[in-house]
Amino acid sequence: MSRVWNFSAGPAALPIEVLQQAQAELLDWNGTGASVMELSHRGKPFMAMAAEAEADLRRLLQVPEHYAVLFLQGGATQHFAQLPMNLASPGASADYVLTGHWSEKAASEAAPYVKVRIAASSKEAGYRGLPAVDLASLDPKAAYLHYVANETIHGIEWRQPPPSGELPLIADMSSNILSAPLDVERFGVIYAGAQKNIGPSGLVVMIIRRDLLQREGQPIAKILRYREQAAADSMLNTPNTWGWYLAGLTFKWILAQGGLAAVEAENIRKSSLLYQAIDQSGGFYRNPVDTAARSRMNIPFTLHDPALDSLFLEQSAAAGLMALKGHKAVGGMRASLYNAVPLAAVQALVTFMAEFVRRNG
């Protein structure tokens, strides 16, 4: 069996070196004679691995000590609801910025627990760019300001976070975390589903300012309280041990690439190559996003004739290019270029795209 070039939006490609190491260690991890999935999460071997994974993540993002790092369960969608449970008192309001499907969903899932106020939105413009956010548009009494750093469906990405003034800034970074250097101290909370740039689905990594852990929030079960998870080193109950292990391997892989500055440079090369192929196709391919808001991680594009879509997908799959169908909400195609997608994959894609134009233009 030969591997394909995987452009899936998530669960997504993992670094081949990480998969190979996990394969080699599957039956005997670190000389224990058992898989990491078969060991107690409270045993010394796993506890040491978990601590090392956290240390590597802190090193990558230069996370200050006054932030806790949590390895949680569920997907980011669960935390759309869990965040207001923890950070907003009953009857409080929170500001949300809408830039696409996932920020809409974040606001919707929060609505039962907090009075959602839309501070800015690009919905009327079809989510083709970033809305203007200034301090005057924010409610100074809001519990926090929430935004989605990268919209996987609409292909929108914030290069810099929106201003939040005195409000804690909450960022869903599921699809662009670890793709570039980041100033963690600009945020109150950063959270991310693992299945894009960290590891397998079912794991959520959260970086939260410790003072926010002291908020009373709302009456909820102990298992849902971030403060309790932090006090228990994310082991209030049995964690996703396999996901945590693979995340640790991925953090080491990123460090081996030269860290986040090197990863960002490669992501710029990959995305620039694909955007150039789209923009220079003479209108055969089109990307609907404002140039300044274009995502490096998720690149949607359409063909000039939608009747060619099925042929494009059929022939690209035959060429070993996997998961290029766009989301049903926007149609067309989408190529997700997460950290583990190599430059060679993008080169193969743009070569195919040029050949498809030659045959069908």
Side-chain angles (χ1 to χ4, degrees):
M1 180 183 294
S2 60
R3 286 180 61 80
V4 297
W5 296 125
N6 185 1
F7 297 97
S8 176
L14 287 167
I16 189 67
E17 296 89 344
V18 167
L19 292 173
Q20 289 170 335
Q21 183 172 347
Q23 180 186 47
E25 296 178 343
L26 187 59
L27 299 181
D28 182 6
W29 176 64
N30 277 3
T32 60
S35 166
V36 70
M37 292 183 286
E38 300 173 293
L39 299 176
S40 169
H41 60 290
R42 301 192 186 281
K44 288 183 179 179
F46 185 87
M47 294 285 283
M49 183 280 296
E52 189 172 348
E54 178 180 335
D56 285 341
L57 180 60
R58 286 184 176 275
R59 178 182 170 191
L60 279 168
L61 287 171
Q62 299 181 351
V63 180
E65 282 304 312
H66 61 281
Y67 285 78
V69 175
L70 307 179
F71 291 82
L72 304 172
Q73 298 185 61
T77 302
Q78 174 179 315
H79 295 275
F80 290 166
Q82 203 167 329
L83 279 158
M85 291 180 187
N86 279 267
L87 300 182
S89 58
S93 67
D95 280 5
Y96 280 73
V97 178
L98 303 187
T99 50
H101 174 87
W102 293 109
S103 48
E104 274 195 8
K105 191 163 186 178
S108 174
E109 293 296 316
Y113 309 102
V114 71
K115 295 177 182 177
V116 171
R117 177 180 176 273
I118 306 305
S121 173
S122 58
K123 185 172 184 177
E124 289 189 2
Y127 292 135
R128 296 177 182 272
L130 298 172
V133 181
D134 56 44
L135 297 183
S137 69
L138 305 181
D139 177 4
K141 297 182 179 180
Y144 55 81
L145 174 66
H146 182 282
Y147 82 110
V148 174
N150 183 81
E151 292 277 1
T152 59
I153 293 174
H154 291 88
I156 302 288
E157 185 174 13
W158 295 81
R159 291 284 177 266
Q160 295 293 328
S164 61
E166 297 301 314
L167 301 183
L169 183 60
I170 313 297
D172 174 4
M173 292 192 177
S174 295
S175 51
N176 68 347
I177 194 169
L178 301 179
S179 65
L182 183 68
D183 182 2
V184 171
E185 294 209 68
R186 296 186 66 174
F187 299 88
V189 179
I190 295 167
Y191 66 109
Q195 67 273 13
K196 320 284 189 177
N197 270 336
I198 295 176
S201 59
L203 176 73
V204 172
V205 172
M206 178 173 289
I207 301 168
I208 181 168
R209 212 170 63 209
R210 293 187 190 275
D211 65 292
L212 296 177
L213 292 171
Q214 303 312 311
R215 288 193 176 185
E216 284 305 312
Q218 303 187 24
I220 53 175
K222 183 177 179 179
I223 193 67
L224 300 176
R225 184 74 66 190
Y226 296 143
R227 179 171 63 241
E228 299 288 349
Q229 291 285 2
D233 294 325
S234 303
M235 295 189 189
L236 196 59
N237 64 330
T238 305
N240 181 345
T241 57
W242 178 247
W244 202 328
Y245 157 75
L246 282 175
L249 295 186
T250 301
F251 300 155
K252 290 189 181 300
W253 177 80
I254 295 173
L255 288 166
Q257 306 310 301
L260 296 183
V263 165
E264 180 184 34
E266 186 71 355
N267 286 329
I268 291 172
R269 281 192 287 270
K270 293 187 301 185
S271 57
S272 297
L273 180 61
L274 182 50
Y275 280 122
Q276 183 180 51
I278 294 168
D279 293 341
Q280 296 181 1
S281 69
F284 190 95
Y285 304 109
R286 299 185 181 92
N287 172 265
V289 180
D290 295 346
T291 301
R294 283 176 163 180
S295 171
R296 293 173 185 163
M297 298 286 97
N298 309 99
I299 302 179
F301 60 95
T302 57
L303 279 62
H304 76 101
D305 182 0
L308 291 172
D309 286 5
S310 59
L311 182 63
F312 182 95
L313 291 169
E314 176 186 340
Q315 293 185 354
S316 61
L321 307 169
M322 173 183 168
L324 286 170
K325 185 176 182 179
H327 192 276
K328 61 183 179 181
V330 296
M333 310 299 154
R334 174 177 54 178
S336 295
L337 311 183
Y338 301 123
N339 290 348
V341 177
L343 180 61
V346 185
Q347 292 170 332
L349 174 57
V350 300
T351 297
F352 170 81
M353 290 169 66
E355 180 61 19
F356 192 82
V357 172
R358 189 190 67 77
R359 293 194 305 264
N360 299 280

